[in-house]
C-alpha cells in the first residue's frame, strides 16, 4: 500500500466476514498527519471512538477538530434525532431526512458535506479528503442503494473531478483534482444481501482503488487476523 | 491499573496511572484500553468475551430455539446488577418484567455472608490486635494486618445458585425501571404504523432516554464531583419477536429494528450504560437481516441448545447443554477487538454455575468401530473449522 497521500483517488474498502474499519483509522491518521483537511462522515461510531484510537496512533483528533483541520459530521446524533422526533415537528435541518421521509434523498447530506469542506464559492480549498464510515449503515437504515450511489457520485464529482483519463488532456493543468474519497462497504460472502451487493457493485465501478479485507481462507487464527487484496 | 480491585495488598506500591478512570463499584478497567467493563453475571462468559461488557456498548445474544438459556443469561445479568447496586432497566413484551425479576437466582451463600459481615464491620471500630513481633518479616510489622473488605458489591462477577431465588428485599430495594410493552403501548396502537417506524421501538427508546437523563448517566452533562456515578444496566428481552410487531418475519426491507439499534448506539455511547439484548434471530427468514442487526451491535454471541435436536445423543456433547458461538466482539474505542483463543465453546448448566468452556473434540472413543457411519465423533470432524479440527481418522496402514 502506498504511504503517501495521493490526490484524485476514490478508494473503496470492502470487508467480508471481518471488520475493515481499522483501515478507516489508518487513512484518517495518514491524511491528518499529511496535513490534509479531512471531513469524516461518521455513521457507525461516535467521535469518542475515533479519538480514542487516534490517541493510540498518535493523532490528536480533538485538537485537529478545534483547529478546523478535521470536520466531523456526527451521523449517530442525527439518526437519533430523526428517530425520536415526532412526525409533526419539521425535521428541520437534519441531513438524514431520508430516513423518515421516503421521498427525500440524501441531498441534504451532500449539501452538509459541501458546506463543511468548501469555501463560499463552492470549490475545494486545498487538498481535502472525504472519509465515509460506512455506507452499509445507510442501506441498513433503509436508504436505497440507488440513493446512496447517487450521493457518492455527487461527492466524487465534488472531490475528484478528473477521473476519466481523456479529460486530463483537455483541462488546464492548474485544475488538478484536489480531493480524495475513502469509503467502506460491507460485503459478507456468506449472506445474500441484495441491496449491499448492488451498492458494492456501483461503488466498485466508481472507485479507482479497491481494498478487500477478508479473513484467512484457512480458518480462524489468533495472531494473523486476515488478508487484504488490492485491486 | 489503579488499585481498585480491593484485594488485600500489603505493600504501599501504587502504580501511577496517567488516565483518570472512573472508579465505580462493580466495574473494572479492561486490559485493552482505559475502558470500563461490567460483568455479565457469568464469570466464564466474561472471560471469553474479553473481560465483560464494555460500558457504552451492546451485547447481543441470539437466542436458542426455546429461549430458555437466553432468558437465563438475562436473569444473570439483572442479578449481577442487583449485587453490584447498579440500577436496572428491563423491558419485555411477553413475560412481565416483574416476573422475570422475581425469579432471579440467589448469589452463592458465602458472598452474602461477606456482605452481611461488612455491614457490621463498618459500624464497629476495627479491632487491630497486636500480633507477636515478627522475626523474619519484620519489615511488615508496622503495616496494617487487615485490609478492610470492600464487600460483595464491589466485586466483579458473582456466582449464583439456581435452586434458590434471590430474596425479595434485595430485589425490591434495587432501583429498577420496568418496561412491559402491553402496559406502555395499548394493543390498538401497536399495529398502527403511520410512518416507517414501529411505535413500540420508539416508545422503548424514549423511555431509555428518559431514564438516562433522569438518572444522570449521561456523560455529556457535567456532574458535580461528589456525586458518585454508577452504571445503568439495560436488559431488552426478546426484542424483535412477533410480539414487538415485526412484520414480514424480518426481511431485509424492514428498517425499524436496525434504526432502533443505531439510535440506541447513539444514546449508549455518551452515557454510562451497558446493554444486553436478546433477539430470537432463528425466527427471521432472511440471514441478511440478521447480519445487519449484528453489525449494528457491538458484541454478538449465539446460543444453540441441544434440547430436542439429534445432537443431544451425541457422546461428544454428553457433558454439555449447548453450544455457544462468538460472532463478533466489541471494537468500540479500540483498533481491534479482543481475540479469543478459539471459537468452539459449549456451555453447561449446573445448579450453581453456568459454565462456558472450550469444546475439545475427544480422541477416538472406541477402537473397534466397524463402520464409519456408526462413529458419531468422526461426523463432527469437519475440516472447515480451521486450526482446531486437527484430529482426524488416523488409522495408518502398515
Amino acid at each position: 500500500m502506498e504511504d503517501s497521500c495521493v490526490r484524485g483517488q476514490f478508494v473503496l474498502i470492502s470487508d467480508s466476514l471481518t471488520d475493515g474499519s481499522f483501515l478507516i483509522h489508518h487513512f484518517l491518521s495518514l491524511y491528518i498527519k499529511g496535513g490534509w483537511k479531512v471531513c469524516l462522515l461518521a455513521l457507525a461510531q461516535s467521535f469518542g471512538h475515533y479519538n480514542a484510537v487516534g490517541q493510540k496512533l498518535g493523532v490528536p483528533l480533538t485538537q485537529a477538530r478545534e483547529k478546523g483541520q478535521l470536520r466531523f459530521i456526527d451521523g449517530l446524533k442525527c439518526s437519533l434525532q430523526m428517530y425520536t422526533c415526532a412526525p409533526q415537528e419539521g425535521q428541520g435541518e437534519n441531513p438524514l431526512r431520508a430516513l423518515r421521509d421516503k421521498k427525500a434523498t440524501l441531498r441534504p447530506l451532500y449539501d452538509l458535506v459541501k458546506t463543511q469542506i468548501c469555501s463560499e464559492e463552492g470549490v475545494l480549498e486545498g487538498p481535502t479528503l472525504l472519509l465515509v464510515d460506512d455506507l452499509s449503515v445507510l442501506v441498513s437504515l433503509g436508504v436505497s442503494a440507488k440513493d446512496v450511489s447517487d450521493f457518492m457520485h455527487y461527492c466524487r464529482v465534488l472531490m475528484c473531478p478528473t477521473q476519466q483519463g481523456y479529460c486530463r488532456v483537455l483541462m488546464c493543468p492548474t485544475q488538478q483534482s484536489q480531493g480524495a474519497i475513502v469509503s467502506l462497504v460491507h460485503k459478507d460472502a456468506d449472506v445474500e444481501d441484495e441491496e449491499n451487493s448492488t451498492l458494492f457493485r456501483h461503488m466498485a465501478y466508481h472507485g479507482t482503488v479497491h481494498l478487500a479485507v477478508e479473513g484467512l481462507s484457512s480458518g480462524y487464527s489468533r495472531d494473523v487476523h486476515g488478508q487484504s487484496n488490492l485491486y | 491499573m489503579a488499585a481498585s480491585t480491593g484485594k488485600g495488598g500489603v505493600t504501599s506500591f501504587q502504580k501511577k496511572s496517567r488516565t483518570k478512570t472512573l472508579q465505580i463499584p462493580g466495574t473494572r478497567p479492561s486490559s485493552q484500553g482505559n475502558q470500563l467493563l461490567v460483568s455479565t453475571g457469568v464469570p466464564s462468559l466474561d472471560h471469553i468475551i474479553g473481560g465483560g461488557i464494555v460500558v457504552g456498548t451492546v451485547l447481543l445474544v441470539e437466542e436458542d430455539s426455546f429461549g430458555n438459556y437466553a432468558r437465563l443469561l438475562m436473569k444473570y445479568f439483572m442479578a449481577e446488577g442487583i449485587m453490584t447496586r447498579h440500577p436496572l432497566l428491563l423491558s419485555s413484551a411477553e413475560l412481565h418484567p416483574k416476573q422475570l425479576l422475581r425469579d432471579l437466582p440467589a448469589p452463592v451463600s458465602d458472598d452474602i455472608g461477606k456482605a452481611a459481615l461488612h455491614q457490621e464491620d463498618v459500624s464497629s471500630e476495627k479491632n487491630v490486635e497486636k500480633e507477636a513481633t515478627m522475626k523474619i518479616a519484620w519489615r511488615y510489622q508496622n503495616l496494617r494486618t487487615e485490609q478492610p473488605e470492600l464487600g460483595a458489591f464491589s466485586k466483579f462477577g458473582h456466582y449464583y445458585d439456581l435452586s434458590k431465588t434471590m430474596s425479595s428485599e434485595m430485589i425490591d430495594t434495587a432501583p429498577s425501571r420496568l418496561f412491559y410493552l402491553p402496559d406502555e403501548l395499548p394493543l390498538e396502537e401497536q399495529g398502527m404504523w403511520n410512518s416507517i417506524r414501529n411505535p413500540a421501538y420508539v416508545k422503548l427508546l424514549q423511555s431509555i432516554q428518559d431514564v438516562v437523563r433522569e438518572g444522570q448517566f449521561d456523560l455529556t452533562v457535567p456532574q458535580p464531583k461528589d456525586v458518585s456515578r454508577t452504571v445503568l444496566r439495560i436488559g431488552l428481552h426478546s426484542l424483535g419477536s412477533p410480539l414487538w410487531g415485526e412484520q414480514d418475519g424480518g426481511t431485509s426491507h424492514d428498517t425499524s429494528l436496525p434504526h432502533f439499534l443505531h439510535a440506541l448506539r447513539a444514546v449508549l455511547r455518551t452515557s454510562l450504560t451497558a446493554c444486553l439484548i436478546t433477539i430470537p434471530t432463528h425466527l427471521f427468514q432472511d440471514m441478511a437481516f440478521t447480519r445487519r442487526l449484528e453489525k449494528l451491535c457491538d458484541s454478538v454471541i449465539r446460543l444453540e441448545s441441544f434440547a430436542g435436536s439429534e445432537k443431544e445423543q451425541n457422546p461428544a456433547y454428553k457433558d454439555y447443554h449447548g453450544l455457544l458461538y462468538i460472532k463478533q466482539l466489541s471494537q468500540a474505542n479500540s483498533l481491534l477487538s479482543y481475540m479469543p483463543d478459539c471459537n468452539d465453546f459449549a456451555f453447561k448448566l449446573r445448579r450453581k454455575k453456568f459454565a462456558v468452556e472450550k469444546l475439545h473434540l475427544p480422541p477416538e472413543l472406541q477402537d473397534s468401530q466397524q463402520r464409519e457411519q456408526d462413529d458419531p465423533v468422526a461426523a463432527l470432524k469437519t475440516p472447515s473449522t480451521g486450526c482446531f479440527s486437527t484430529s482426524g481418522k488416523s488409522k495408518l496402514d502398515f
Side-chain angles (χ1 to χ4, degrees), chain A residues 23-65:
Chain A
L23 283 173
I24 296 271
H25 295 294
H26 165 80
F27 278 110
L28 184 60
S29 54
L30 181 69
Y31 281 81
I32 294 242
K33 281 186 189 157
W36 283 47
K37 191 158 155 200
V38 175
C39 177
L40 174 59
L41 173 53
L43 298 163
Q45 299 282 3
S46 63
F47 181 70
H49 169 84
Y50 298 104
N51 198 18
V53 182
Q55 276 178 349
K56 287 187 194 156
L57 295 176
V59 178
L61 289 183
T62 29
Q63 288 172 18
R65 194 182 186 184

Side-chain angles (χ1 to χ4, degrees), chain A residues 43-44 49 83 193 220 222, chain B residues 197 262 265 292 333 340-341:
Chain A
L43 298 163
H49 169 84
Y83 198 66
D193 195 336
Y220 175 76
R222 188 182 177 176
Chain B
R197 309 177 306 166
H262 195 242
R265 184 184 268 197
R292 289 186 187 178
N333 296 330
D341 282 331

